[in-house]
Amino acid sequence: MLTASIVAELRDAVGVDGLIIDRNQLQTYECDGLAVLRSLPAAVVLPRSTAQAQAVVQVCARHQIPFVGRGAGTGLSGGALPNDRGIVISFARMTRILATDIPNQRVTVEAGVINAHVTQRVTPDGHFYAPDPSSQSVCTIGGNVAENAGGAHCLKYGFTTNHVLALEVVLPTGELVHLGSPTLDAPGYDLAGVFVGSEGTLGVASTMTLRIVRRPETVQVLLAAFNSISAAGQTVSDIIAASILPAAMEIMDRLAIRAAEAAVHPHYPECEALLLVEVDGPAAEVDLHTKQVRELCRANGAWEDRLAQSEQERILVWKGRKAAFAAAGRLSPDYIVQDGVIPRTKLPMVLERVAEMAAEVGLRVCNVFHAGDGNLHPLVLYDRSIPGQEEIAVDLSMRILYLCVDHGGSITGEHGVGREKQQAMGYMYSEPDLDTMQRVRCSFDPENIANPDKLFPRPRLCGEKTGKYTPHPLETAGVAEFF
Amino acid sequence: MINTQDMTAPLAAIVGAEHLRSSGGSLAVAPGNTEEVAALLRFANEKGSSVVTWGGGTKQGWGYPVAPALMLETHRLNVLREHTWQDMTCTVEAGCTWSGLQSGLAQHGQCVALDPLWPEQATVGGIVATNDSGALRLKYGGLRDLIIGMTIVLADGTVAHTGGKVVKNVAGYDLHKLMIGAFGTLGVVTSVNFRVHSKPRCTQSFSVSAPAAEPLGKLLLMLLHAQVSTVAIQLRGSAVGFVLDVQLASLAEVLHTQAAALEAMAQREGLHSLPAQENVWSARQKQMDHEFVCKGTMLPSEIARFAGRVRGLGGESVIQGTGIMIAGFPAGTADGLMKLRGELEEAKGSLMVLKQPAEAKLDCWGTPPDSLPLMRQIKSRFDPEGILSPGRFLGHI
């Protein structure tokens, strides 16, 4: 509960129509895409400008109120899960595209701009915004920045951090700073690089300058059906070994194919493993690369391969893949979607082990993954109405992540740590590693109010600056005295 | 100034007497592994002894001058530890020279897609600390896009790992990004995990000359927007005006179509593309021999303007399509350089003076950003005693 005077300060910051304190309305904000975790915030504010956002954070800083930024609330790790003593800063009303500089391939946007809208804005000029998470038609750039969102095309094009040049950030202390720059290599520490992917724990970004990319001349999508995941996985390795860098390479297993077919009817061949390869670039190159990819698929035993012949076909092929998560709802009343990364070469072995682990506890796991970069999305299927099954499913999904770490991978490739995986951070990183990250966190947020209780395995305080007294250069120079 | 004499015995105990020597007013120590680096820093931290990490020594003059008590030499940390070529990643110790790293990776037809200065001498660690990059940055990105993990040792001897060995990884902060371009002020990098690329099969370079920079600037922007497989583009001054060099990479069968597309674009500006000379891509490195050398940054649309401006101020420039410039100036142009800095900063860019005659005393870093206090905070938490390259960085950090 916030005191009446604090509520009044927040109202001053964002106006009466920018503040929500009614319990029924607050419920909209009690969770993000990880709906199993819910917590009602004390208030929600919807600033319309950087100045308002800053004013809000200043109120929080004055009164030590925890806060968390929120875009569309589609995050899958509980990053936007509110603190029940704190507030949510929703960027839903900061949706302006502030500037487009096509010659220099840069766009400046407010944090609440929808990912797909950036692409829409620059499509007439032959460009697109490359990071394309599956939720791109609803998710916001601000949320993408917090999570360092990827998407299917990050194999070739990289992640959010490779496309963010500059940010306007309100620090948890209430100061406004500019990180990065529209030009490259701004002198100083790469604070923009640290901020992207920091999951709201270092402050809130209100505007950002993004890099846009020239649309490729040609895009071709190939589907190939295999009798085993390992054959599909080997094909992926062979493609990369042939110096071909496709825009995307995705694999879906039999269960995922069935779900996608039932949901959107992409007419996928029924098989153990479906490989989807998208090649883009200048037309002449793409034709040659696609031919090579086809040969490699056949060499690894693909019993069917199809080239999407039209834009419609291409969109339908992708629709099936992008619907896979939601489609899992057809296979099972409930599911947990996980997000681990392993070195690509370990794919078949890890998937086999995952299947074993699932069978051991009597659950099914359906697999969709970004084969090119080893990013797995195992969907652990279960039924909440069966007592104890949810706990088993959660435990299995976490053990899958530990398996990924054991094989030299990561606990998260794109969904972030948030609340969901904060304990697993202790499995992946040692105390010194986490301690070092904590030094950065304390530099930005000494009072621990920016999305606290997320990301790190246990609460840590920011200690006093340690070490013996060192005189300031001005003192040594005899210009100043320390009293 | 700390008395280096009474440090000799404890330092010899850490690295062995044979790896300790005097160097000017400093003691040079060469650790053999990360544990020795940690022990050295712990010792230096307790004594409050300043430390500068020393790789190939090629860029020690960049930044404000430091006269450290200890020079931590990395040449014994020079092994390419892992090359998982099928996963397209590698792990290399920071004291390995760049060319040493590349020849190791070449065994599987791969490379780290970066072309820094002085590759035979410069080490991985020094290149990372200064965030060096060359012409390949246009297509492959810079160090922040190529590095996926690091092992770092902090001033108090803490050994930390950041990132990992997989390209896609959003677990925790990207601490390695913080270390890139930090000039050794936040920690000592002992090893780096890179994503690697296949060496391009077929490349060809072309040069387009013109008496003025403007039409070449237009062609440069056209190329950035074209459906042509450009690897690198640079604009440089020449004896007869300016030259735009372009490197294309593609499959052998279709490279000629790319070259034809380039020629067609050149002709639209009344220009011609010719096969480039062998050494055009070392033009950037040649600029480093001038009296004054600076690194400038700008938007691509400003490249032609600043190429002309540098020439007008008596200098010569090599500007990459990314907007990163190396410019060399003769003696006596200090005022012009400061004017240039003002103009670049107004255009949202920057100018760092990398080399200058001793008497010039120009501020090498330029106007600090509003995030400088935050940078100081980070420095004070990473290195509370201020022993790592003290005073070298922006804001005298």
Side-chain angles (χ1 to χ4, degrees), chain A residues 101-106 127 147-148 150-151 154-155 159 161-162 164 171 176-179 181-194 196-199 201-202 214-217 240-243 245 282 284-285 288-289 292 341-346 370 373 375 408-417 425 428-429 432-433 435-437 439-444 446 455-456 462-463 465-468 470, chain B residues 45-48 85-88 109 131 133 137 144-145 152 154 156 158-175 177-178 180-183 185-186 195 197-199 201 221 224-229 249-251 253-254 257-258 295 297-302 322-324 347-352 365 369-371 373-386 393-394 396-397:
Chain A
D101 179 357
I102 299 295
N104 289 304
Q105 300 172 316
R106 280 140 168 89
H127 283 73
E147 303 293 342
N148 191 11
C154 56
L155 174 66
F159 326 108
T161 194
N162 309 109
V164 172
L171 297 176
L176 183 68
V177 290
H178 295 83
L179 306 182
S181 125
T183 55
L184 300 179
D185 289 1
Y189 299 138
D190 186 3
L191 297 179
V194 161
V196 177
S198 60
E199 305 196 22
T201 61
L202 302 182
R214 186 73 176 88
R215 251 189 201 294
E217 184 175 29
I240 300 214
S243 303
L245 189 63
E285 274 185 15
L288 282 172
H289 280 146
Q292 259 183 289
V341 186
I342 45 168
R344 214 172 356 90
T345 47
K346 305 276 176 80
H370 308 294
D373 43 40
N375 188 189
S410 170
I411 56 173
T412 175
E414 51 189 8
H415 296 173
V417 174
M425 280 286 278
M428 181 167 175
Y429 292 113
D433 304 340
D435 175 57
T436 307
M437 290 188 212
R439 297 185 197 215
V440 172
R441 188 178 192 175
C442 291
S443 305
F444 280 75
L455 191 55
F456 292 90
C462 298
K465 175 179 160 176
T466 53
K468 61 182 199 285
T470 41
Chain B
N45 200 42
E46 275 156 33
K47 291 259 179 243
W85 67 271
Q86 288 199 322
D87 290 316
M88 302 194 71
N131 190 21
S133 66
R137 186 157 179 182
R144 72 193 306 281
D145 308 297
I152 62 181
L154 304 184
D156 64 5
T158 302
V159 178
H161 298 90
T162 159
K165 293 186 175 174
V166 283
V167 172
K168 206 163 175 189
N169 180 6
V170 296
Y173 301 149
D174 272 358
L175 289 180
K177 291 198 167 61
L178 206 54
I180 297 169
F183 278 71
T185 56
L186 295 179
R195 90 173 271 184
H197 285 84
S198 297
K199 291 171 79 159
R201 295 277 171 86
L221 287 179
L224 291 178
H225 289 248
Q227 301 292 0
V228 172
S229 298
S250 192
L251 299 159
E253 301 93 315
V254 298
T257 62
Q258 306 273 299
K295 172 182 173 182
T297 63
M298 66 200 73
L299 291 172
S301 60
E302 302 275 43
T322 51
I324 297 176
K348 301 189 199 159
S350 67
L351 186 103
M352 185 182 172
W365 285 101
D370 59 16
S371 54
L374 184 52
M375 294 185 196
R376 290 195 198 287
Q377 265 296 308
I378 291 171
K379 168 68 175 184
S380 77
R381 287 182 191 271
F382 273 65
D383 179 16
E385 304 303 320
F393 204 54
L394 179 71
H396 293 279
I397 286 174

Side-chain angles (χ1 to χ4, degrees), chain B residues 102-176:
Chain B
Q102 300 290 49
S103 57
L105 299 173
Q107 288 172 37
H108 285 282
Q110 295 181 337
C111 65
V112 176
L114 190 91
D115 49 342
L117 296 164
W118 310 298
E120 310 282 326
Q121 267 177 281
T123 61
V124 169
I127 291 162
V128 167
T130 53
N131 190 21
D132 192 15
S133 66
L136 295 178
R137 186 157 179 182
L138 182 70
K139 176 171 165 108
Y140 295 102
L143 288 167
R144 72 193 306 281
D145 308 297
L146 298 169
I147 291 179
I148 59 177
M150 261 184 205
T151 302
I152 62 181
V153 185
L154 304 184
D156 64 5
T158 302
V159 178
H161 298 90
T162 159
K165 293 186 175 174
V166 283
V167 172
K168 206 163 175 189
N169 180 6
V170 296
Y173 301 149
D174 272 358
L175 289 180
H176 38 285

Side-chain angles (χ1 to χ4, degrees), chain A residues 137-261:
Chain A
S137 57
V138 290
C139 65
T140 66
I141 296 295
N144 292 166
V145 163
E147 303 293 342
N148 191 11
H153 291 85
C154 56
L155 174 66
K156 180 170 179 178
Y157 290 99
F159 326 108
T160 298
T161 194
N162 309 109
H163 297 271
V164 172
L165 294 164
L167 304 137
E168 229 178 358
V169 171
V170 182
L171 297 176
T173 51
E175 295 152 73
L176 183 68
V177 290
H178 295 83
L179 306 182
S181 125
T183 55
L184 300 179
D185 289 1
Y189 299 138
D190 186 3
L191 297 179
V194 161
F195 189 87
V196 177
S198 60
E199 305 196 22
T201 61
L202 302 182
V204 287
S206 55
T207 74
M208 46 285 290
T209 299
L210 310 173
R211 198 165 68 87
I212 51 172
V213 175
R214 186 73 176 88
R215 251 189 201 294
E217 184 175 29
T218 303
V219 182
Q220 286 187 8
V221 174
L222 186 75
L223 272 181
F226 293 87
N227 285 331
S228 67
I229 300 264
S230 58
Q234 186 58 50
T235 309
V236 168
S237 293
D238 292 347
I239 290 169
I240 300 214
S243 303
I244 300 171
L245 189 63
M249 286 197 280
E250 305 282 294
I251 294 180
M252 295 167 71
D253 72 4
R254 185 177 279 283
L255 219 45
I257 292 164
R258 215 193 301 159
E261 193 58 45

Side-chain angles (χ1 to χ4, degrees), chain B residues 51-92:
Chain B
V51 178
V52 166
T53 310
W54 199 280
T58 55
K59 299 175 283 290
Q60 288 292 342
W62 295 15
Y64 297 123
V66 182
L70 294 177
M71 287 162 51
L72 196 156
E73 297 180 323
T74 60
H75 57 262
R76 293 174 65 206
L77 303 164
N78 62 357
V79 174
L80 172 58
R81 289 222 159 272
E82 242 178 79
H83 178 195
T84 37
W85 67 271
Q86 288 199 322
D87 290 316
M88 302 194 71
T89 58
C90 75
T91 299
V92 62

Side-chain angles (χ1 to χ4, degrees), chain A residues 255-311:
Chain A
L255 219 45
I257 292 164
R258 215 193 301 159
E261 193 58 45
V264 300
H265 319 294
H267 306 303
Y268 290 156
E270 277 228 38
C271 55
E272 278 309 302
L274 187 69
L275 174 65
L276 194 161
V277 180
E278 182 168 286
V279 181
D280 72 13
E285 274 185 15
V286 169
D287 282 337
L288 282 172
H289 280 146
T290 308
K291 191 157 154 280
Q292 259 183 289
V293 168
R294 220 167 186 166
E295 279 159 16
L296 289 168
C297 288
R298 290 176 189 167
N300 280 290
W303 50 263
E304 183 179 335
D305 62 79
R306 295 181 209 163
L307 194 58
Q309 295 298 339
S310 67
E311 181 66 4

